[in-house]
Amino acid sequence: MKKENDKSTLLSRWRSREKSSAETTPITKAPGDIPIPLSRGQQRLYFLEQLYPNNPVYNSSEIYSFQGPLDVERLKKSLQLVIEANDILRCSFHLTEGIPIQKVNEDTSPDIRSIDLSQLSTQEKDRRQEEILTEDSLAPFNLEHAPLMRIILLKRSPLEHILFFTMHHIITDKWSMDLFRDQLTEYYKALSREESVKASKGEIQFTDYAYWQQHQEVDPKQLQYWKNKLSGEIPFLQLPTDYPLPVKPSFNGGSYVKELPETLSLQIIALSKSLNVTPYVLLLTAFYVLLHRYSGQEDILIGSPISTRNSRVLEGIIGFFDETIVLRTQFQPNITFAELLTLVQRTTMESFSNKDVPFDLLVKELKPARSPANNPFFRTMFIYHDVPATPSFSQDIALSYTFYNKGVSKFDLTLYIALEKNVLTTELEYAADLFELGTMVRLQDHFRILLEGIIANPQYRIAEIPMLTPAEKEFFLHQRNTASGPYAHYNTIHEIIEEAAAKTPSAPAVVLGGNSLTYAELNTRATDVASAILSRTAGKNEIVGLFMERSAEMIVGLLGILKAGCAYLPLDTGYPASRIRYILEDSGVTLLLTENKSVPALGDVPSQLLIMSQIPASKNRLVGSIAPVGREDMAYVIYTSGSTGKPKGVPITHNNIINSTEGRLGFYQNDPKAFLLMSSISFDSSKAGVFWTLCTGGTLVVSEKEMEQDIDRMGEVIAKNKVTHTLMLPSLYNTIITYCDLAKLQSLRTVIVAGEACTSSVVSNHFEKLPQVSLYNEYGPTEATIWCIAHQIKKEDEDGIIPIGRAVANAEIYLLNAAHELVPKGAVGEIYIGGTGLAGTYLKNPELSSTVYIGHPFRKNGGHKLYKTGDLARYNKDGNLEFMGRADQQIKIRGFRVEIGEIEKIFEQYDAVDKAVVLVDDASGENSFTNDPSPDSAEIMKYMARIQDENQLEVLLRSIKDMKEEDRKYLLQQLQ
């Protein structure tokens, strides 16, 4: 009844390597008059049982199916003999003086529950059988009451019986169940021969092993190996979960089983032999690739069980000999599968050779960050085994068996792979708190496709191994909607506004406070401005600066620059003079449209000033563009923050902005009758309100400066102007609906949130306070002309990550990995943007342009480009994108976009600083800057305070878009 060794397994290789040392430490009988301690593995399970009482997570169930004339009484006697032969099957577990011990109960008999289903129909038999098995498998054990085993015998017919076992894992493991079947079969055969049969007890029992193990010292060399291997930060694997991580696991689970084709299974086995590795290592490496392709991470930890049967004498003993090892592999995505295979093989062999350090001791020694929601080192497990041949039960009875798992998962995700009769079966056991079954189906498909790619070419780079299903390729590559819209025949954006003005000349176009302009007045004044600009630009498509306080005249100036055939460059009047000077010099602006009260804030600028109030009314006004302008000419330039430490200009053409505006007509249910403009016009988000409103004849309500700090005032403006649409940060919107008089907000019909992640709490608050208002989430960088992805938020979205949606406005959206390959559905990838809205270049910055605007990998003809956003996202089960954060260093503080590079550049100007690294401290739950009290840091902070007088610190803080004065002061105080 010995367990036969399979010489092809990795464990066999390891055992052969270590056999000589293992045999030098013999295991002897434990003293008979002392309490028997638990083995190290049993201790771990015991304490987990105390931590999660009455939980079936460590139940182990198997189904034995008998076909033939089964002698039930003989079977029961055989079961009794197996239990008598193995002390561990009669053990109970107790706490004595704070120490857990195990006690062998001599007079223990199996409680076999017999149920006759033979009179039921086949359908009813199946239904009733599943009910019985599920109920039994999920029933918890009391560790103090032996036996920790339940047995059910179902009679389906005189020639068909089901024997169902449920045991607590503390007394068994997979190897032990093979031994159990062998012993059960041998006893049944012996009884069938009517022999006098007694239980055959081995000289050494599991209790002897437990006593021996607890008196062995942990090898300090092995412990040091793990301290080195698991040093540094333990990365949290970013699995593609469908639900947020719970505070505490319930261990509710599910499983999905998929049998690989026999041809593929044989190819995998053959490939492992040709590469001189075991199937375990090859399939584990493929699992690493799968996890890497889903998470994008390059430092991945996987758990795997290993037996502690280090001595031959232990190979025939039933008990819990499993230990968990941590397989940590770090790699680069540009390596080949064969190269990764070598790394994984080395990792596994090293880990197996240092496996005698108990898992709980590793946790105690290494003190990783702990959370009740997950394992301290890993979220995933990998298990591989060769299924042994089922023993022959008797000449006239066929026995088959299978494991049974119903509704339990120990870990977030476990991949079981079994090889039986040349066929590999893969099973994904998953936490139901995190995943849906559909995600597991998709994972299994991806794993199979990966394996097929590996078989085809083991020299594939791991980022390039085929993985997508045909349906995914269709979904990812064919989403564009390029139908012509109502603005197809226009060349410029201002032509559309002029047409709206002609239709409703007396309608209010722009309102701010008590001042307003009709469409006729707006168009007339803008034409006067255009005439004045034309006299200075000679009809060229030049860039003209716009430096004005928030006012109706600001919109006049914007439109006037466009009508002059020029592109406007908006500059916030709150910018420090040094930033304004840099932008004007970098853009080459020679003409700056401004007003008298704003001139002092400009300082010494290189541009000629054109004062709005000094522009006379034209006697012979022209209609339309005074200078010829085409769709590909610039309409405006927006300067954004830059990781190089300098802002960068994004030129947007008329084609870009027409396409962006036209996209809103088809996506949104209604055009704005009155749009509240909150953003500074130096933000690209302001263009949504300005052009959408003025092109469709609505009223643009410009908010007063810093009005967002006065919630009551905002409510009054919305009510007075009957605002129907607005766009703002979700955090600001949440504040408004929390503290504003809701009666003042009843005119709202559409609210768009953008600029930062929209949270579930915002959505919940919205549907509680203003359920009649349509709420939308928009995403898009300046480089893609305001927006490229959008989603109408529904109440059901509040239970998870709020989607940013799908491609809009003729945008192409791709989620790519580092090799510019599509990531599978559910996996995290970087957002790349293409399509009509793409700017395609930075102003006078070809080097940066070539870095972030890459050649289109899927449309290689025609010079098409994609923009590398640095943002991460994934597709959810509904096919909507979910924003997952930044891939680079850009962060947001209180909703403001910050380029860390700009801050680091300021620090590095100090002579004592060779290299600066700026981090964000999230320890308090908010972003904040913290001071190190060291002398060097103190000197640097003094330097930062000193350069404040030189406006350099203001430049730093102005890298944060639209920062409020109170926030600027807060950061200044922290830095000082």
Side-chain angles (χ1 to χ4, degrees):
M1 289 186 246
K2 273 191 171 183
K3 171 75 178 180
E4 294 297 325
N5 288 332
D6 181 349
K7 299 300 181 184
S8 68
T9 66
L10 184 64
L11 184 57
S12 301
R13 294 187 182 185
W14 168 84
R15 186 181 295 112
S16 298
R17 180 185 178 191
E18 299 293 324
K19 187 182 297 182
S20 59
S21 61
E23 296 296 342
T24 61
T25 54
I27 299 169
T28 58
K29 293 288 292 182
D33 56 349
I34 64 169
I36 301 298
L38 277 59
S39 71
R40 292 164 179 165
Q42 283 181 315
Q43 273 186 200
R44 184 173 72 255
L45 294 192
Y46 183 86
F47 287 123
L48 286 169
E49 185 73 28
Q50 311 313 305
L51 184 61
Y52 303 106
N54 300 318
N55 195 305
V57 66
Y58 285 102
N59 288 7
S60 178
S61 300
E62 291 190 3
I63 302 173
Y64 293 11
S65 298
F66 297 94
Q67 299 290 334
L70 181 69
D71 187 319
V72 172
E73 292 305 315
R74 192 178 295 156
L75 177 65
K76 291 181 178 179
K77 178 60 178 176
S78 301
L79 288 168
Q80 177 65 44
L81 290 169
V82 175
I83 292 174
E84 289 177 6
N86 298 277
D87 288 355
I88 188 64
L89 300 180
R90 291 177 279 114
C91 276
S92 55
F93 298 82
H94 310 269
L95 202 61
T96 302
E97 297 180 355
I99 298 174
I101 63 167
Q102 50 192 322
K103 176 184 176 183
V104 179
N105 300 272
E106 296 300 338
D107 298 325
T108 300
S109 299
D111 181 14
I112 303 176
R113 179 182 167 200
S114 297
I115 303 175
D116 189 349
L117 304 178
S118 61
Q119 302 304 312
L120 303 177
S121 66
T122 300
Q123 183 177 1
E124 188 63 18
K125 284 177 188 176
D126 294 341
R127 185 193 65 79
R128 185 74 183 107
Q129 176 179 311
E130 187 65 18
E131 285 180 355
I132 293 168
L133 270 52
T134 300
E135 179 183 6
D136 188 76
S137 68
L138 296 178
F141 285 99
N142 184 336
L143 296 185
E144 294 185 350
H145 296 158
L148 297 176
M149 173 194 305
R150 291 189 297 269
I151 306 174
I152 298 176
L153 182 62
L154 300 177
K155 180 181 178 182
R156 291 178 61 96
S157 75
L159 297 179
E160 182 182 10
H161 291 79
I162 300 294
L163 187 65
F164 186 66
F165 287 96
T166 298
M167 299 185 189
H168 196 285
H169 237 313
I170 204 168
I171 64 170
T172 191
D173 56 22
K174 194 180 296 294
W175 183 307
S176 296
M177 294 311 297
D178 291 344
L179 295 173
F180 188 97
R181 281 187 295 277
D182 289 342
Q183 292 181 21
L184 182 66
T185 300
E186 291 302 319
Y187 284 129
Y188 188 90
K189 286 179 178 179
L191 291 170
S192 298
R193 295 189 295 267
E194 298 184 354
E195 298 175 359
S196 177
V197 182
K198 292 183 179 181
S200 177
K201 294 190 64 170
E203 182 180 350
I204 299 297
Q205 292 283 322
F206 182 83
T207 49
D208 301 316
Y209 163 76
Y211 177 83
W212 170 86
Q213 188 195 50
Q214 288 291 11
H215 288 79
Q216 302 301 304
E217 295 291 333
V218 174
D219 185 345
K221 291 183 179 179
Q222 290 197 30
L223 181 58
Q224 188 59 49
Y225 165 82
W226 289 111
K227 286 183 177 180
N228 294 336
K229 188 67 174 178
L230 301 178
S231 63
E233 181 183 357
I234 300 298
F236 184 78
L237 183 62
Q238 301 297 326
L239 293 172
T241 60
D242 299 303
Y243 308 108
L245 195 69
V247 175
K248 186 176 181 180
S250 70
F251 299 107
N252 293 328
S255 66
Y256 179 67
V257 180
K258 190 79 172 179
E259 190 176 275
L260 296 179
E262 183 175 358
T263 301
L264 178 58
S265 299
L266 291 172
Q267 288 173 330
I268 291 169
I269 296 167
L271 180 62
S272 67
K273 289 180 181 178
S274 68
L275 295 175
N276 197 31
V277 297
T278 62
Y280 173 96
V281 170
L282 189 143
L283 291 163
L284 173 62
T285 306
F287 191 41
Y288 270 111
V289 174
L290 182 76
L291 296 176
H292 163 71
R293 294 283 290 274
Y294 266 99
S295 67
Q297 293 169 265
E298 300 161 13
D299 182 1
I300 296 176
L301 291 82
I302 299 174
S304 191
I306 187 172
S307 176
T308 58
R309 300 171 192 263
N310 293 352
S311 173
R312 284 186 179 276
V313 73
L314 300 177
E315 293 180 3
I317 296 175
I318 290 177
F320 181 69
F321 289 91
D322 283 354
E323 188 55 82
T324 301
I325 56 172
V326 185
L327 302 172
R328 183 178 194 177
T329 305
Q330 296 165 290
F331 52 90
Q332 297 296 321
N334 60 348
I335 68 172
T336 66
F337 178 81
E339 290 169 334
L340 180 59
L341 191 68
T342 301
L343 292 177
V344 173
Q345 184 179 38
R346 182 165 65 241
T347 294
T348 52
M349 293 301 293
E350 289 176 353
S351 299
F352 283 9
S353 298
N354 293 277
K355 72 178 181 58
D356 295 322
V357 180
F359 186 80
D360 52 344
L361 180 61
L362 282 181
V363 175
K364 181 179 178 181
E365 288 285 334
L366 299 174
K367 298 180 175 60
R370 300 301 304 273
S371 166
N374 56 275
N375 184 280
F377 290 115
F378 54 83
R379 302 182 69 188
T380 63
M381 285 281 285
F382 176 81
I383 300 172
Y384 173 88
H385 74 285
D386 294 309
V387 179
T390 303
S392 175
F393 205 70
S394 70
Q395 290 183 347
D396 52 357
I397 299 175
L399 169 64
S400 61
Y401 75 95
T402 183
F403 301 104
Y404 185 83
N405 180 0
K406 191 69 175 180
V408 170
S409 180
K410 301 179 187 69
F411 299 92
D412 292 348
L413 184 67
T414 300
L415 174 60
Y416 294 92
I417 301 183
L419 175 62
E420 184 176 17
K421 298 178 181 178
N422 293 326
V423 173
L424 289 165
T425 299
T426 59
E427 177 182 0
L428 286 172
E429 181 184 278
Y430 60 94
D433 292 341
L434 297 174
F435 299 102
E436 293 185 349
L437 176 60
T439 301
M440 296 301 107
V441 174
R442 191 167 61 245
L443 275 168
Q444 286 274 30
D445 287 341
H446 291 152
F447 190 61
R448 175 184 53 78
I449 296 170
L450 267 177
L451 290 171
E452 291 171 346
I454 290 164
I455 295 299
N457 184 7
Q459 298 302 324
Y460 265 129
R461 297 194 181 278
I462 62 173
E464 299 171 347
I465 301 174
M467 188 169 166
L468 299 185
T469 66
E472 286 176 325
K473 292 178 182 178
E474 178 69 22
F475 177 78
F476 294 147
L477 297 175
H478 302 283
Q479 295 189 74
R480 300 185 68 214
N481 177 13
T482 56
S484 297
Y487 296 159
H489 62 284
Y490 293 95
N491 283 327
T492 66
I493 191 71
H494 52 275
E495 289 175 354
I496 306 172
I497 299 174
E498 289 166 348
E499 187 172 287
K503 290 179 180 178
T504 56
S506 59
V510 184
V511 173
L512 193 154
N515 300 320
S516 66
L517 292 174
T518 66
Y519 270 91
E521 292 170 334
L522 171 65
N523 197 39
T524 298
R525 293 192 189 183
T527 302
D528 292 340
V529 171
S531 298
I533 293 173
L534 180 63
S535 66
R536 294 164 173 82
T537 61
K540 299 177 182 178
N541 183 227
E542 296 184 8
I543 302 173
V544 176
L546 180 62
F547 187 76
M548 297 181 67
E549 295 282 355
R550 297 176 70 83
S551 62
E553 289 295 300
M554 175 184 72
I555 305 301
V556 170
L558 180 157
L559 184 57
I561 294 172
L562 290 172
K563 287 166 74 72
C566 294
Y568 73 91
L569 192 164
L571 295 161
D572 195 294
T573 55
Y575 281 167
S578 55
R579 184 179 180 90
I580 296 171
R581 185 165 52 252
Y582 169 79
I583 291 176
L584 292 176
E585 290 175 350
D586 183 72
S587 62
V589 166
T590 59
L591 181 63
L592 184 63
L593 183 63
T594 186
E595 54 197 345
N596 280 320
K597 62 180 179 180
S598 297
V599 171
L602 284 170
D604 183 19
V605 295
S607 306
Q608 178 186 357
L609 302 184
L610 176 60
I611 308 300
M612 280 282 290
S613 60
Q614 298 176 5
I615 296 175
S618 299
K619 294 181 180 179
N620 299 310
R621 293 190 176 95
L622 301 175
V623 178
S625 297
I626 298 176
V629 181
R631 268 199 174 235
E632 298 306 322
D633 286 322
M634 287 187 295
Y636 62 86
V637 177
I638 293 288
Y639 268 77
T640 70
S641 296
S643 58
T644 61
K646 295 179 179 180
K648 52 190 183 291
V650 182
I652 300 299
T653 67
H654 283 274
N655 189 49
N656 294 147
I657 188 59
I658 290 173
N659 172 77
S660 176
T661 304
E662 186 178 61
R664 296 184 181 278
L665 307 184
F667 181 78
Y668 286 98
Q669 298 172 7
N670 301 292
D671 295 327
K673 293 182 178 179
F675 190 104
L676 177 61
L677 179 65
M678 299 292 300
S679 303
S680 164
I681 61 164
S682 63
F683 284 13
D684 68 320
S685 59
S686 67
K687 312 304 179 265
V690 171
F691 294 113
W692 185 17
T693 305
L694 297 181
C695 286
T696 56
T699 302
L700 184 66
V701 181
V702 182
S703 68
E704 300 161 5
K705 186 176 182 180
E706 298 182 351
M707 190 175 72
E708 66 273 12
Q709 299 180 30
D710 188 342
I711 300 301
D712 289 337
R713 177 61 182 151
M714 288 188 68
E716 292 171 1
V717 170
I718 290 171
K720 178 182 177 181
N721 295 281
K722 297 180 180 179
V723 170
T724 60
H725 293 57
T726 189
L727 183 154
M728 63 182 70
L729 291 170
S731 54
L732 175 59
Y733 177 60
N734 198 44
T735 301
I736 292 171
I737 59 178
T738 299
Y739 297 106
C740 186
D741 181 356
L742 296 179
K744 297 178 180 179
L745 308 180
Q746 295 307 302
S747 62
L748 287 174
R749 292 293 174 266
T750 298
V751 172
I752 305 166
V753 292
E756 65 186 18
C758 181
T759 63
S760 295
S761 59
V762 175
V763 175
S764 298
N765 201 15
H766 165 81
F767 283 103
E768 178 186 346
K769 303 291 179 60
L770 295 175
Q772 77 280 8
V773 177
S774 297
L775 181 64
Y776 293 86
N777 200 11
E778 278 192 15
Y779 166 89
T782 303
E783 291 82 352
T785 314
I786 311 166
W787 71 325
C788 56
I789 302 170
H791 173 69
Q792 182 174 4
I793 300 174
K794 303 295 185 180
K795 191 174 190 320
E796 53 266 29
D797 291 328
E798 67 183 339
D799 294 331
I801 298 173
I802 308 304
I804 55 175
R806 302 192 183 196
V808 292
N810 293 320
E812 299 175 46
I813 303 298
Y814 303 96
L815 299 187
L816 306 182
N817 61 20
H820 296 158
E821 297 285 340
L822 290 165
V823 302
K825 187 176 180 181
V828 175
E830 185 174 351
I831 301 175
Y832 283 75
I833 305 170
T836 313
L838 201 64
T841 186
Y842 288 114
L843 193 67
K844 300 180 180 179
N845 198 333
E847 183 177 350
L848 180 60
S849 298
S850 63
T851 301
V852 299
Y853 290 102
I854 68 168
H856 201 308
F858 313 114
R859 299 175 65 197
K860 296 184 179 180
N861 297 323
H864 300 285
K865 296 180 181 179
L866 294 183
Y867 171 64
K868 173 183 171 66
T869 66
D871 289 331
L872 301 177
R874 68 175 187 183
Y875 282 100
N876 66 14
K877 62 181 180 179
D878 299 319
N880 288 311
L881 285 163
E882 295 176 342
F883 181 76
M884 304 299 289
R886 290 287 299 173
D888 56 18
Q889 286 187 308
Q890 191 184 81
I891 60 171
K892 287 194 175 182
I893 296 179
R894 299 187 182 184
F896 303 118
R897 175 172 156 177
V898 181
E899 287 282 2
I900 284 179
E902 291 195 15
I903 302 175
E904 291 173 346
K905 289 292 182 183
I906 298 296
F907 274 106
E908 289 170 0
Q909 292 177 19
Y910 181 50
D911 292 339
V913 176
D914 293 324
K915 179 65 178 175
V917 177
V918 176
L919 302 176
V920 179
D921 179 14
D922 285 312
S924 63
E926 296 183 0
N927 297 130
S928 61
F929 291 98
T930 58
N931 293 336
D932 185 329
S934 66
D936 289 345
S937 296
E939 285 297 317
I940 293 172
M941 288 303 166
K942 289 180 181 178
Y943 166 74
M944 297 301 291
R946 185 171 69 254
I947 65 172
Q948 177 186 348
D949 297 334
E950 304 167 13
N951 276 331
Q952 293 187 55
L953 190 55
E954 278 294 312
V955 173
L956 180 156
L957 295 179
R958 279 295 173 183
S959 72
I960 305 174
K961 288 187 173 183
D962 200 29
M963 174 171 280
K964 301 175 188 176
E965 185 63 29
E966 61 183 77
D967 292 321
R968 194 152 47 248
K969 290 178 180 177
Y970 165 77
L971 288 177
L972 286 169
Q973 291 170 358
Q974 295 298 310
L975 285 169
Q976 293 176 31

